[in-house]
Amino acid sequence: MEKTKPKAVENQAEPVISILGLHKSFGKLDVLKGIDLTVYKGENVAVLGKSGSGKSVLIKIIVGLLKPDLGSLTVLEKKVEKLTGKELDELRLRIGFSFQGSALYDSMSVFQNLAFPLTMNVKHLDKQKVKEAVEEALEAVGLKDKAEQMPAELSGGQRKRIGIARALILKPEIMLYDEPTAGLDPITSAEINELINEVQEKYNTSSIIITHDLTCAKNTCDRIVMLVEGKFLPSGKFDELFHTDNQQVKDFFSYNFIQ
Amino acid sequence: MIKDHTKKAVISERIDEYFLGVYGAYKFVLRFFKEVFVPPYHFRAIITQSYEIGIKSLALISVTGFIIGIVFTKQSRTSLEDFGAASWLPNLVGIAIIRALGPVLTALICAGKVGSSIGAELSSMKVTEQIEAMEVSAINPFKYLVVTRIVAATIMVPLLAMYCVFIGLIGSYINVHAAETTSFTVFFKDAFSSITFIDLFAATAKATVYGFTIGIIGCYKGFNATKGTHGVGKAANEAVVLAMFLVFLEEVIIVQVSNWVRNY
């Protein structure tokens, strides 16, 4: 079902992520060529683009895994480029990151995977509180009975859900999803899309969803931006982009639907 | 990271890469010493890694040490008997096992078993983004994964080396006892008769250096693995080869230094 409530725009909410003139290159390969993006509180924004267009690089810069070459990045009122190691860690605690391959720790059970960020970051937390927090996160993703299983015993969709649960354990204000439906069948993809919407409603998060799956973008996002050759094309709601005259957007949309 | 193929090499690509690798390793070692003394200390992870490195290597060390003790004694007997010096066998075996064989053998076994396992584990964590997942959870992966493994290897390898020496001497004793019915007390008294404090200190010190080397090389190769499954195999392989090479190099240096101290 298409998402119909662009709450952030309706509420004139404050920006949680502001990107201005962001550049990133690897050697002589320019990946991001001066992009601007603002994400408002409570808003879900999809970043569409071809593989290798720099979508994942963008969210890795937002969370401080990569440093931009040029430009300004403000996340939750913090200038990311000016943060020290400790300040960056404090900011990271307010951001949840769901990896494309889930990135679950293979040597730990599902319970340990979820408890790990909590026990490492919150001092003097008793076992009962950790257990309650893990159970709450598992319940939010509908996998309460999988706590004792190892990541290798889970299906692709379940791994994605556990990855999202782990990102939610510290109750983040921003969620960054890297290809949440990549490699999943249509039914599991639909379940993940539903989960993304539930997460936003329950935790009141703002999200950036990196995807090339139009169904995911349509069903989860208030606004869609397209990254083409290192720059964003004008953004809009799904329907606006669907009926745009821009040839690059049209090509991307038509190819997806043909697929 | 995407490799810049357009960048021109200063000397040649391979030589440049070699020196960049050496510089990278130097920075890695420096980072270890910067972080090892700064809290938080992950004691539980160090204990877990010590168990993985130490206890899980015991069986292999036991079998290898025992066999080396027996074989070395058996092979040395013929030569000593030719000179009518078979009674010197425990003495010879003691010097050989305590000064050289015990620590080096342990280091080589650990370079193969522990070095490859650290290299493979960290590199697979790297290529599956598990290390980045730690970073975004505000957990320092270097401290949690690297420092703990290096500390555990530095502690456990000397302990394993001592154990290997003991097991090697037991193997040797069984062989000597079978041939000459020498008592346990006499054998060990003879075996340690030429061993000085410097020998024991040098053996422990070099086993500690080997442990540190194995840990740091395994972690360096794993932590800096390139993407893909090929990178995992390469990291594990390079960790073993480089650690073994460095163990031999360190053995030569430490033997020279300890001989110099002994003769001083």
Side-chain angles (χ1 to χ4, degrees):
Chain A
M1 198 177 109
E2 187 179 352
K3 209 169 176 223
T4 52
K5 292 185 291 176
K7 295 174 209 162
V9 181
E10 278 173 9
N11 299 345
Q12 292 293 307
E14 78 244 39
V16 286
I17 299 173
S18 298
I19 298 169
L20 269 176
L22 200 75
H23 286 260
K24 180 67 189 172
S25 58
F26 296 98
K28 285 189 177 172
L29 180 67
D30 292 329
V31 180
L32 303 176
K33 300 174 186 169
I35 59 164
D36 302 326
L37 177 69
T38 306
V39 179
Y40 295 95
K41 193 168 170 58
E43 186 184 29
N44 279 3
V45 174
V47 178
L48 293 180
K50 288 193 287 186
S51 300
S53 60
K55 307 184 298 290
S56 299
V57 170
L58 172 66
I59 54 169
K60 284 185 178 179
I61 289 174
I62 291 172
V63 81
L65 285 174
L66 293 172
K67 283 187 177 169
D69 298 332
L70 206 66
S72 151
L73 170 63
T74 309
V75 181
L76 296 167
E77 297 173 348
K78 308 270 182 200
K79 291 257 179 204
V80 175
E81 63 271 20
K82 288 183 181 166
L83 296 180
T84 61
K86 204 180 170 191
E87 289 167 341
L88 184 61
D89 279 347
E90 280 167 9
L91 178 66
R92 281 170 173 168
L93 294 177
R94 301 167 70 191
I95 304 171
F97 197 113
S98 166
F99 286 85
Q100 184 174 354
S102 305
L104 299 179
Y105 309 123
D106 293 331
S107 57
M108 298 182 191
S109 69
V110 167
F111 182 91
Q112 289 166 331
N113 258 282
L114 267 66
F116 187 60
L118 207 57
T119 50
M120 296 296 282
N121 288 302
V122 186
K123 282 179 185 169
H124 314 300
L125 199 64
D126 65 60
K127 281 183 181 173
Q128 188 54 35
K129 285 198 171 151
V130 173
K131 197 177 169 216
E132 283 168 13
V134 171
E135 280 174 358
E136 188 194 330
L138 283 175
E139 203 167 355
V141 299
L143 289 174
K144 208 175 170 186
D145 56 329
K146 303 287 177 192
E148 296 312 316
Q149 288 196 268
M150 296 301 283
E153 295 166 349
L154 303 172
S155 68
Q158 287 171 338
R159 288 173 69 93
K160 292 267 186 192
R161 282 170 175 268
I162 299 297
I164 294 171
R166 188 178 62 187
L168 289 173
I169 197 88
L170 290 163
K171 304 220 164 49
E173 292 159 58
I174 296 173
M175 276 296 291
L176 304 173
Y177 297 92
D178 191 1
E179 305 278 9
T181 57
L184 300 179
D185 63 86
I187 295 169
T188 314
S189 295
E191 286 170 3
I192 295 289
N193 294 341
E194 207 174 301
L195 177 62
I196 292 171
N197 287 332
E198 283 170 14
V199 164
Q200 192 204 16
E201 276 173 31
K202 189 171 178 189
Y203 294 87
N204 193 25
T205 53
S206 317
S207 312
I208 292 183
I209 297 156
I210 300 295
T211 186
H212 49 239
D213 174 4
L214 285 182
T215 315
C216 171
K218 184 183 175 188
N219 293 340
T220 60
C221 294
D222 303 306
R223 188 156 54 99
I224 295 170
V225 290
M226 259 198 81
L227 187 59
V228 177
E229 290 166 4
K231 288 195 167 182
F232 279 141
L233 299 179
S235 68
K237 289 182 204 171
F238 184 85
D239 284 338
E240 288 166 4
L241 290 189
F242 194 74
H243 297 107
T244 183
D245 293 333
N246 185 305
Q247 194 54 45
Q248 285 168 309
V249 178
K250 273 170 119 174
D251 287 347
F252 189 87
F253 273 55
S254 57
Y255 185 76
N256 253 270
F257 280 107
I258 289 163
Q259 289 291 300
Chain B
M1 189 184 278
I2 298 166
K3 200 174 164 187
D4 179 15
H5 292 283
T6 54
K7 203 179 272 180
K8 278 186 182 171
V10 178
I11 305 172
S12 85
E13 205 169 295
R14 294 190 86 175
I15 295 174
D16 276 13
E17 261 177 32
Y18 172 78
F19 282 108
L20 283 172
V22 171
Y23 178 65
Y26 161 75
K27 279 204 328 195
F28 195 80
V29 173
L30 217 61
R31 189 174 172 193
F32 168 76
F33 283 110
K34 258 188 196 170
E35 301 216 8
V36 69
F37 301 109
V38 182
Y41 307 109
H42 302 297
F43 291 116
R44 192 169 286 183
I46 292 174
I47 291 168
T48 309
Q49 288 307 320
S50 298
Y51 175 80
E52 291 290 326
I53 293 168
I55 307 296
K56 289 195 174 174
S57 303
L58 272 181
L60 195 57
I61 298 278
S62 303
V63 173
T64 320
F66 188 75
I67 291 172
I68 287 291
I70 290 180
V71 171
F72 185 77
T73 311
K74 210 172 169 59
Q75 298 290 356
S76 307
R77 173 174 284 108
T78 332
S79 306
L80 287 179
E81 274 174 351
D82 289 345
F83 293 100
S87 61
W88 284 81
L89 201 51
N91 195 289
L92 171 75
V93 172
I95 290 171
I97 290 182
I98 294 168
R99 281 190 190 168
L101 279 177
V104 172
L105 194 69
T106 308
L108 293 179
I109 291 169
C110 288
K113 188 180 179 298
V114 177
S116 63
S117 127
I118 293 176
E121 190 182 5
L122 292 192
S123 55
S124 59
M125 285 185 82
K126 176 95 186 285
V127 300
T128 54
E129 296 179 312
Q130 292 177 53
I131 290 179
E132 286 187 345
M134 271 189 196
E135 266 186 84
V136 298
S137 301
I139 299 160
N140 180 348
F142 192 92
K143 208 162 181 61
Y144 188 79
L145 298 171
V146 174
V147 172
T148 53
R149 279 167 173 78
I150 296 172
V151 169
T154 311
I155 294 169
M156 293 317 289
V157 171
L159 293 177
L160 286 172
M162 285 179 204
Y163 175 73
C164 182
V165 165
F166 175 72
I167 292 291
L169 289 176
I170 294 287
S172 173
Y173 164 71
I174 289 171
N175 189 274
V176 169
H177 181 75
E180 284 119 18
T181 61
T182 310
S183 78
F184 189 78
T185 324
V186 170
F187 174 83
F188 271 86
K189 203 179 155 195
D190 283 355
F192 279 89
S193 62
S194 298
I195 300 298
T196 62
F197 172 75
I198 291 170
D199 294 321
L200 294 176
F201 180 79
T204 315
K206 68 182 175 186
T208 309
V209 173
Y210 299 156
F212 176 77
T213 306
I214 292 162
I216 207 127
I217 295 297
C219 289
Y220 174 68
K221 289 292 175 189
F223 211 70
N224 293 294
T226 46
K227 294 224 167 191
T229 45
H230 173 68
V232 176
K234 200 172 165 225
N237 179 265
E238 284 179 356
V240 176
V241 173
L242 188 58
M244 281 186 174
F245 171 72
L246 288 176
V247 162
F248 284 122
L249 199 68
E250 286 162 357
E251 171 71 8
V252 171
I253 295 167
I254 294 170
V255 163
Q256 291 300 321
V257 172
S258 60
N259 278 346
W260 180 78
V261 172
R262 199 178 287 114
N263 299 329
Y264 186 69

